[in-house]
Amino acid sequence: MAKEEFPGWHGTTIIGVRKGGKVVIAGDGQVSLGQTVIKGTARKVRRLSPGGQDVIAGFAGSTADAFTLLERLEKKLEATPGQLARASVELAKDWRTDKYLQKLEAMLIVSDGTDLFVITGAGDVLEPEHDVTAIGSGGNYALAAGRAMMDGDLDAEQVARKAMAIAADICVYTNGNLTVETIG
């Protein structure tokens, strides 16, 4: 009998939008295993408050890995209160060089209301050029839709919600069940 391979988890679209002095991070709720939707109401966007400083974060990838990274980010923020850029760079350095952390498969979008970053396991801390960033299976769809709406009259949350709706219409691993956090 041939051993069947694990079909792999799919899902998640996360978008971050900075506009009008506010930052919104929104994420869908779908988790899929192969071609089957396992859960439609997962919460992939969180509010952290290390040291009383609010930060919002969204994640794509393995949930356990993302929570490990979020815990590490909180510790970095507690050590450097109010310095999201520094904490993000320190997390990315650890993620890139630590043998345990190197195996983690996730990406993060984080914001303190001023800065907006994507943090990757390759050691990257990326700030979007056009105040919109997105990750996950439908990330490119949400990013394109969000960028197209940035010059209009919509506020940050409206841009995020509409971009996520477009991504959900295109990407089979993304649904319209959103978690939205706003800061700023």
Side-chain angles (χ1 to χ4, degrees), residues 31-161:
V31 177
S32 302
L33 176 60
Q35 297 177 350
T36 304
V37 175
I38 300 297
K39 184 173 183 175
T41 58
R43 274 192 71 232
K44 304 168 199 167
V45 178
R46 307 271 185 214
R47 181 174 294 270
L48 313 172
S49 295
Q53 303 282 327
D54 277 351
V55 171
I56 55 176
F59 62 86
S62 165
T63 304
D65 292 355
F67 280 123
T68 298
L69 294 166
L70 290 174
E71 287 172 8
R72 294 272 181 137
L73 179 61
E74 280 187 296
K75 288 178 184 170
K76 299 289 183 191
L77 286 165
E78 287 169 358
T80 59
Q83 298 181 52
L84 180 61
R86 183 174 176 190
S88 297
V89 169
E90 291 297 318
L91 174 64
K93 285 187 343 190
D94 288 355
W95 193 355
R96 177 87 171 138
T97 59
D98 184 278
K99 288 183 182 184
Y100 166 72
L101 294 178
Q102 284 176 353
K103 295 176 177 27
L104 300 183
E105 296 181 5
M107 291 179 76
L108 304 175
I109 296 177
V110 297
S111 180
D112 60 2
T114 303
D115 292 320
L116 177 63
F117 299 118
V118 175
I119 309 172
T120 75
D124 299 314
V125 177
L126 307 168
E127 185 169 18
E129 288 183 330
H130 304 284
D131 292 329
V132 180
T133 191
I135 57 176
S137 57
N140 288 335
Y141 307 119
L143 177 61
R147 283 189 56 188
M149 291 184 265
M150 286 299 284
D151 291 334
D153 294 334
L154 301 176
D155 66 24
E157 183 170 341
Q158 291 169 321
V159 169
R161 286 183 180 278

